[in-house]
Amino acid sequence: MYLNTCHLQTTRFISKLYRCYFNSTGAGCLYELLSALPVQLQAHVDSADDRSFLHTMFGERSLHSLVKVLEELQGKVLSVEVRELLKLLSKPHIKSLLSVHDTVAQKSYEPELPPLPDDIDDDEDSVKIIRLVKNKEPLGATIKRDERTGAIFIARIMRGGAADRSGLIHVGDELKEVNGIPVDDKRPEDIIRILAQSQGAITFKVVPGILDEGPAKEPKVYLRALFDYNPEEDTAIPCKEAGLAFRRGDVLQVVSQDDATWWQAKHEGGADHRAGLIPSKHFQERRLAHRRPLTNTLPQKITRKPSSFRRSFRLSKRNKKTNKSMYECKKSEQYDTADLPTYEEVAHYRKGHGAKHRLVVLVGPTGVGLNELKRKLLISDPQHFSVTIPHTSRGKRSQESDGVEYHFISKHLFETDIHNTKFIEHGEYKGNYYGTSVDSVRSVLAKNKVCLLDVQPHTLKNLRTAEFKPFVVFVKPPSIERLRETRKNAKIISGKDDKGSAKPFTEEDFLEMINAAQLMENQYGHLFEKVIVNDDLTTAFSELKTALRKVETETHWVPISWTHS
Ligand code: 5GP
């Protein structure tokens, strides 16, 4: 309003200037007008702010220059352009336009609130009458009923919502009336219905609660969601409309953890500034722990069908035949209760110059094409990508050299190393041990190369350290129809030392691959940072390369513990 008034006065002043000039009553008229104006307006201006505004405006150099220009023009013969301008400005529609502008500037567009009720009981001195103008946006507050007294309280205020922005309603306020309707005999659902149906001004009568809110600084906690969440399907959420839906892998900014069960969060980088309710970590873990018996079938399936998870860089025909006994998995594949996938705190990370590369871990079912992808990467840039050299307890063959095909060590030393958890994974084949050591990964990274590793997904948990910062890529098969088309002439096993032994894919291989991929995704999907469908190999390869380049060059989210070291 203050600005509008000034604007109006400015417009009027400018038109006065024009009139003064165009009527041409003589030199000096404009300056007189300019200097007289602040005094003339003094009577209409009450506040010091307005006075100083006018003073600044009339003292402005640009205004004085304008006056000077006009005065300069006065004595001269009018040019064609000036005459043209004069003609235009005196046209009735330009005058009407200026007049419309003045009328519009005079109006107030703030919502009009009805007058306060005059039947306020003088004894109720702690009662607060709040008027909010509500549009379609929800109020952004939840209520609860005190079971003992039946009183209705504001349970939470959603950050950034209408109620929060108003700054008038607070957690703990007791709600007495909504639009003149007493609420103490109503159920929370009925009150919510009254609120939902109200449009425009809503009047609340509340008894303010005791404020114990700390400084309202927005906490900067970022979490990666490790599960899909749809509040519509959540029977426990106090208010479905207040819930925030998200997908596994989404990064959420948690803005309030005040409530032990329901946190408030928003999508990181999202346009919506309003927070929504999400189940707290503790609450979600408890719920998952209760649902666990339903998902327990998974480890049993793995045990029954070990081949679906088994794969090695050097699979051979012999392995194919004896696949199940190729090597035994020594690590427990049982579901770990401490690792219920809920949320993981994340922070921004960008690889610094000279910092080691993140370990690239490829996961996928047998036959999906991990080896092809790995080989293509190695060939594409051998200076940049590398693989580990495995250890074995079998004897060195004549054409082999220690540290090239394998690191050859004794059975006894291998067992000691297993005991000292020196291996990321290990297995037994024909009475000999084979395995990938932690140090073999370190030695690739120390050469400032990107280390490509393919592992069974149960080892991921042990690899997820600040040292390795694994970037886990899940390579997934396409639909069975596409598998039939794309793998028509392909062979299931393409180990580097066993080219002739590969066999064409069977229908059973395809089904097993799809099934294994599904199981992996269900159980370990929350650990996959990138999922690539290997439909067409060339496309999958370029997708993988792009993803790897991004990880090396761009800022991305990683678990916060990886950024401390
Ligand atoms: P070979 O003795 O013919 O070189 O390899 C026999 C088999 O040992 C390979 O086909 C593969 O199944 C297994 N193998 C080779 N390297 C590793 C490894 O790093 N880890 C495990 N678990 N097995 C391996």
Side-chain angles (χ1 to χ4, degrees):
M1 264 84 8
Y2 154 71
L3 265 180
N4 276 353
T5 317
C6 286
H7 196 137
L8 186 67
Q9 282 165 359
T10 317
T11 323
R12 283 192 188 137
F13 172 66
I14 301 283
S15 51
K16 239 183 187 178
L17 273 180
Y18 270 113
R19 258 176 275 142
C20 184
Y21 167 66
F22 293 126
N23 294 340
S24 221
T25 49
C29 161
L30 292 168
Y31 264 134
E32 273 165 35
L33 186 67
L34 193 60
S35 45
L37 251 162
V39 184
Q40 278 184 19
L41 288 169
Q42 197 85 20
H44 307 282
V45 178
D46 324 312
S47 79
D49 276 356
D50 288 2
R51 267 196 294 281
S52 90
F53 172 81
L54 285 174
H55 205 265
T56 323
M57 190 182 78
F58 293 125
E60 250 189 39
R61 272 176 54 195
S62 54
L63 195 59
H64 283 261
S65 310
L66 177 67
V67 171
K68 230 187 168 69
V69 170
L70 291 171
E71 285 199 344
E72 282 284 304
L73 280 169
Q74 230 175 3
K76 308 243 161 59
V77 181
L78 297 183
S79 72
V80 182
E81 285 84 4
V82 172
R83 260 184 276 138
E84 171 81 17
L85 182 63
L86 261 174
K87 233 166 94 189
L88 283 175
L89 285 168
S90 56
K91 284 203 183 249
H93 55 269
I94 297 281
K95 285 183 174 170
S96 320
L97 190 69
L98 285 170
S99 145
V100 165
H101 172 270
D102 278 9
T103 316
V104 170
Q106 219 166 359
K107 279 201 162 181
S108 161
Y109 291 93
E110 293 291 303
E112 290 220 2
L113 292 173
L116 282 173
D118 39 33
D119 58 340
I120 302 170
D121 191 341
D122 283 346
D123 297 339
E124 286 183 302
D125 53 355
S126 61
V127 169
K128 203 159 72 168
I129 305 289
I130 299 162
R131 283 260 154 80
L132 285 182
V133 177
K134 188 173 161 286
N135 50 19
K136 287 210 179 72
E137 178 185 0
L139 189 61
T142 63
I143 49 177
K144 68 170 182 231
R145 189 191 180 91
D146 184 316
E147 289 309 327
R148 206 172 40 83
T149 63
I152 301 286
F153 287 97
I154 303 291
R156 64 171 68 75
I157 300 287
M158 308 305 297
R159 299 274 165 114
D164 185 28
R165 295 200 309 276
S166 80
L168 298 170
I169 305 176
H170 301 98
V171 171
D173 287 355
E174 185 188 342
L175 195 58
K176 294 297 244 183
E177 284 177 15
V178 176
N179 286 345
I181 309 164
V183 298
D184 31 20
D185 57 340
K186 298 222 157 20
R187 293 175 310 154
E189 304 90 271
D190 300 329
I191 301 164
I192 287 166
R193 201 167 317 116
I194 299 174
L195 285 174
Q197 284 162 359
S198 320
Q199 284 276 328
I202 309 181
T203 312
F204 297 95
K205 196 185 217 182
V206 300
V207 179
I210 298 139
L211 289 178
D212 59 349
E213 285 173 296
K217 228 176 140 249
E218 238 183 34
K220 292 260 187 233
V221 176
Y222 294 96
L223 300 181
R224 191 187 337 249
L226 305 181
F227 62 105
D228 292 338
Y229 179 65
N230 181 4
E232 294 297 325
E233 291 164 7
D234 190 347
T235 48
I237 191 163
C239 171
K240 288 190 199 304
E241 294 74 39
L244 183 83
F246 54 80
R247 305 297 307 262
R248 182 164 71 181
D250 286 354
V251 174
L252 310 171
Q253 185 191 354
V254 178
V255 292
S256 165
Q257 294 180 325
D258 298 346
D259 189 310
T261 318
W262 296 99
W263 290 347
Q264 296 182 27
K266 10 188 213 188
H267 281 276
E268 190 277 322
D272 199 348
H273 55 270
R274 279 180 290 154
L277 291 184
I278 62 167
S280 71
K281 188 177 170 70
H282 177 68
F283 180 57
Q284 187 61 18
E285 274 171 1
R286 262 189 14 221
R287 290 208 285 198
L288 279 180
H290 279 109
R291 282 184 215 155
R292 259 194 60 220
L294 292 170
T295 55
N296 247 358
T297 47
L298 195 53
Q300 287 161 15
K301 272 197 178 151
I302 297 163
T303 327
R304 200 161 41 80
K305 265 187 168 283
S307 58
S308 51
F309 275 77
R310 297 282 147 81
R311 188 211 51 262
S312 162
F313 189 42
R314 291 146 183 259
L315 287 171
S316 69
K317 187 179 169 190
R318 289 158 301 178
N319 309 136
K320 172 77 177 152
K321 276 197 220 136
T322 55
N323 215 353
K324 289 191 172 92
S325 59
M326 184 174 80
Y327 58 82
E328 294 301 315
C329 173
K330 294 294 192 298
K331 291 241 165 67
S332 162
E333 283 176 343
Q334 287 305 306
Y335 205 93
D336 192 335
T337 42
D339 281 331
L340 292 167
T342 55
Y343 305 102
E344 177 172 56
E345 190 170 355
V346 288
H348 265 148
Y349 171 79
R350 188 182 177 153
K351 182 188 159 312
H353 284 296
K356 289 199 182 89
H357 285 285
R358 286 184 66 183
L359 170 64
V360 173
V361 182
L362 302 171
V363 180
T366 310
V368 79
L370 284 190
N371 290 334
E372 268 82 1
L373 287 169
K374 205 156 91 167
R375 218 189 319 265
K376 265 172 119 39
L377 278 175
L378 288 171
I379 296 166
S380 76
D381 194 348
Q383 299 306 310
H384 192 60
F385 297 107
S386 191
V387 286
T388 52
I389 297 165
H391 281 67
T392 183
S393 65
R394 90 153 153 72
K396 185 169 80 65
R397 292 174 189 150
S398 58
Q399 75 283 11
E400 292 173 335
S401 326
D402 189 22
V404 178
E405 289 84 3
Y406 292 101
H407 295 290
F408 296 95
I409 57 169
S410 71
K411 200 163 186 168
H412 177 71
L413 183 56
F414 208 114
E415 280 167 355
T416 317
D417 284 354
I418 293 170
H419 183 74
N420 294 328
T421 57
K422 296 234 169 140
F423 288 102
I424 290 168
E425 61 86 39
H426 69 276
E428 233 178 303
Y429 175 67
K430 287 193 175 172
N432 294 312
Y433 288 119
Y434 293 85
T436 309
S437 73
V438 180
D439 279 342
S440 70
V441 174
R442 287 194 181 117
S443 89
V444 172
L445 296 177
K447 285 181 204 139
N448 206 18
K449 285 188 167 193
V450 176
C451 181
L452 308 173
L453 193 71
D454 61 315
V455 294
Q456 296 172 54
H458 74 271
T459 58
L460 291 175
K461 208 178 82 187
N462 304 321
L463 289 171
R464 298 186 91 243
T465 61
E467 180 189 8
F468 292 145
K469 301 184 180 64
F471 176 67
V472 181
V473 181
F474 178 54
V475 183
K476 200 179 154 160
S479 66
I480 188 134
E481 294 79 22
R482 289 294 301 155
L483 276 178
R484 284 183 200 125
E485 282 171 42
T486 53
R487 270 75 167 174
K488 221 170 11 202
N489 303 316
K491 306 282 162 73
I492 187 162
I493 285 159
S494 47
K496 72 169 189 183
D497 51 1
D498 203 16
K499 288 194 182 68
S501 68
K503 276 168 92 187
F505 280 92
T506 64
E507 194 66 10
E508 201 203 344
D509 291 330
F510 291 150
L511 287 171
E512 193 170 309
M513 201 195 299
I514 290 172
N515 189 33
Q518 192 57 60
L519 291 172
M520 282 184 181
E521 208 163 20
N522 290 350
Q523 192 167 1
Y524 300 100
H526 60 283
L527 303 175
F528 305 155
E529 240 172 288
K530 175 84 191 162
V531 177
I532 292 178
V533 178
N534 190 9
D535 183 334
D536 169 67
L537 182 66
T538 319
T539 316
F541 172 68
S542 76
E543 211 183 310
L544 176 59
K545 236 185 148 181
T546 310
L548 297 184
R549 195 174 315 118
K550 275 190 169 181
V551 162
E552 283 175 37
T553 54
E554 292 179 9
T555 304
H556 50 276
W557 296 99
V558 297
I560 196 161
S561 57
W562 297 1
T563 60
H564 291 330
S565 56

